[in-house]
Amino acid sequence: MDALKVNDPTVLGRYVLQARLGAGGMGQVYLGRSPGGRLVALKVIRDGITEHPEALPRFRREVDTARAVRSAYTANLIDASLDEAPYWLATEYVEGPTLAAAVAARGPLPGRTCRGLFAALAEGLAAVHACGVTHRDLKPQNVILSRRGPQLIDFGIARGVEQTAVTETGASGPGTPGFTAPEVLLHNEVGPAADVFALGATVAFAATGRPPFGSGSAAGVAFRAVYEEIDVEGVEEDLARLVRECVAKDPAARPALERVIERCAVAGALVGDAHYAALTADTGPVPGALAGADPTATPPMPVSAPPAAPYDLPTADGYTPTQLTRPGGEPRRRRAWTVAGAVALAAAVTGGVLLALPDGGEDGDDRKERAAGTAEPTRGASASPAKGNDEGPQPPRYIEQTAPNVVFWEADPGDWSGGECNLTTEEVSQSFQWSVPRSQEEISTGKIDIAMRLDGKRPPEGRYHVSAVVKPPHDVPAKEAAESGLGLMENRSLGFASKPVDLSGPGATEWVKFTYPDDFALHVYGKKRGTALPLRDDPGQWTVMFMHVEAPKKYASVACDGFTVPE
């Protein structure tokens, strides 16, 4: 906690303010003392926020939430003032370090302690959910390790499923990147399963001492939370497996909280765990200089706080949750962030549309075919799918990324049209043929044609659905990379995909043509979430993959090629 500043109030309602506990975009949190000597945490909404028409309704919802959620695992509401400024609420003050501070000071928790913490927090969340509320911002900074057990704090963006979070700009937004579930980041779909994701990420942090999806920009961390695996390196296998299940990308695949508690198989109370007891051993009363503060005295000069650790990310609405003690120590290791050209995800994090399609451009027809014994594709080939047979399932409507993609095409030195991919394809088809652009003139127009077909031999499995995928070379456009100061990094996303088409049947010999960027998009959880990146935005070596598709998340590469976009 920090000393009061010169401009801080000394009294709120009947409470004498003692110290600062935390601050953020929504307001300030103070340590206060009642006339009878009870310590409380007072959250005061900032004056500028009250000008927004939804700010006060949101604050009142927070008070209602705090009243509804009364559990042994939460700091209970004591008082509130909602009639006139300054608006505030008071909850009981819970003594103890945050989980973030404890790990920063003493390192990762052992497996047994992590399982006890896992079960205790799961039980606490179950009590919260039973009240019809989701926490929505569970993370290490919002877990206090008290002598009576771990406590969930800061329900500033907790709400019922039907409610909407309000930010300073009036937009709704997710919680903290790295602990926020993919469905919240992408669709703002909030539910109990999102809290299970945050629980798994929080325990991963406790077990490793590292941010669960790395550090860096909020967009980069959020991208990894949606597409990449959680960091549980070094964690005992049973615990790591349970964490991975809790952070499954599909919310329906995450275990129920009751199942989590059962899997933890705790044999005793967490407060009886020796390591947990050591973490709370230094917990004591408020320092004497603060506890005995004279409310009429001039507050001391500001005390500089240490810089936040890498995992101290603000929530999307700018409110930094209460921190009873700030994390200290050396910054944790950083992993390179890999924000692929995922327009929708970046827009979900930043709240804006980042990219748009280019204007116009003529179709080119100078291309090089990359299949043995094939001829130049028919010029002006149909842009509609080839007509297939009537047997078997219909083509999936889209494909979406399931894991980081590390396939890259590299041009031959000194040869504009030559090159090869760094990895071999996953399947081999002697019948599949394709073409990609090679003409600098065509590529410079901003629109290119990509074509594919079978050579007339029907595959033994019947229908043969194929999607073309175009992958930019870098994770963000060159201009954005330069402006951010982070520089260019390789793109590990799948890329932008065309609609899968059936190449088998009577029309197998017809070329199917797609135009980039018009016919390509990004799909996440079954919904179109972004248009394709304009070619001119990312000069370099682009990769083109052709995927044999069985289902949106089940496909294998049958061909790989690429082209170069000039500076």
Side-chain angles (χ1 to χ4, degrees), residues 468-500:
V469 176
V470 177
K471 175 180 175 178
H474 303 113
D475 56 356
V476 293
K479 182 178 179 181
E480 292 181 27
E483 292 175 348
S484 70
L486 295 174
L488 293 171
M489 294 185 182
E490 66 181 17
N491 182 1
R492 296 194 176 190
S493 76
L494 174 65
F496 300 96
S498 71
K499 179 180 179 180

Side-chain angles (χ1 to χ4, degrees), residues 17 98 101 146 260 331 356 401 408 458 499 512 542 562-563:
L17 302 190
T98 64
S146 77
V260 171
Q401 179 159 330
F408 300 97
R458 180 173 174 176
K499 179 180 179 180
V512 177
W542 288 55
F563 57 89

Side-chain angles (χ1 to χ4, degrees), residues 286-309:
V286 179
L290 293 176
D294 181 355
T296 64
T298 301
M301 294 301 291
V303 177
S304 298

Side-chain angles (χ1 to χ4, degrees), residues 121-177:
L121 293 178
E123 191 170 338
L125 282 178
V128 170
H129 293 171
C131 299
V133 172
T134 56
H135 188 286
R136 192 178 158 113
D137 200 27
L138 173 61
K139 59 183 177 181
Q141 293 94 329
N142 283 349
V143 176
I144 297 179
L145 305 181
S146 77
R147 288 179 174 176
R148 69 187 190 192
Q151 301 287 298
L152 298 171
I153 64 168
D154 201 335
F155 286 77
I157 57 174
R159 61 182 190 270
V161 175
E162 76 286 352
Q163 296 173 327
T164 302
V166 179
T167 70
E168 289 191 70
T169 60
S172 62
T176 303

Side-chain angles (χ1 to χ4, degrees), residues 75-109:
N76 295 319
L77 180 72
I78 295 174
D79 201 353
S81 176
L82 305 175
D83 296 329
E84 59 182 5
Y87 303 95
W88 53 266
L89 64 82
T91 60
E92 60 181 328
Y93 170 71
V94 181
E95 296 179 11
T98 64
L99 176 61
V103 171
R106 295 176 176 262
L109 279 55

